[in-house]
Amino acid sequence: MAALYSKGRFLGFKRGQRAQHENTALIQLENVNSKEETTYYEGKRVAYLFRAPTAKKGSNIRCMWGRITRPHGNSGVVRAKFRHNLPPSAMGSTVRVMMYPSNI
């Protein structure tokens, strides 16, 4: 059975020399090391799961959804836009890169 998601790491936000653009997150994909390998992941959904202090609907776990938009550099890093910008406390944490929608 195929996996429903692969892992990625939220590295930080897109930035220039002076300005940081919080509306675009940089994600390092697991076992992806080149720009060519990232083309499969373009358009895929990304989920950032975290624990909240209070329960809603019987669970403390919340989710923020985003989508991979394009590669960033040549080393397997991609840019992603989330519906709500990721918080800075999420830097370095794991995200789930869903294997849908399929573009094959």
Side-chain angles (χ1 to χ4, degrees):
M1 184 173 161
L4 206 59
Y5 65 89
S6 67
K7 288 185 178 180
R9 186 158 306 279
F10 171 46
L11 302 177
F13 300 109
K14 184 181 116 173
R15 55 172 297 137
Q17 188 174 3
R18 292 166 193 87
Q20 175 174 277
H21 305 284
E22 293 89 0
N23 59 350
T24 305
L26 301 179
I27 296 172
Q28 173 71 60
L29 301 171
E30 193 175 66
N31 301 322
V32 177
N33 299 312
S34 71
K35 183 185 271 191
E36 290 72 31
E37 294 173 32
T38 63
T39 56
Y40 169 78
Y41 292 94
E42 287 179 29
K44 298 282 190 265
R45 306 259 326 256
V46 184
Y48 166 63
L49 296 165
F50 62 99
R51 292 184 191 278
T54 56
K56 283 194 178 182
K57 297 181 183 175
S59 174
N60 284 44
I61 297 174
R62 310 264 169 85
C63 182
M64 295 175 84
W65 286 98
R67 194 176 293 272
I68 293 177
T69 57
R70 53 172 293 183
H72 180 84
N74 297 308
S75 60
V77 177
V78 294
R79 297 181 194 177
K81 291 204 176 249
F82 284 78
R83 287 185 192 152
H84 299 280
N85 296 344
L86 292 179
S89 59
M91 285 185 192
S93 60
T94 304
V95 295
R96 292 181 179 185
V97 180
M98 300 301 175
M99 292 295 115
Y100 55 82
S102 175
N103 52 14
I104 299 174

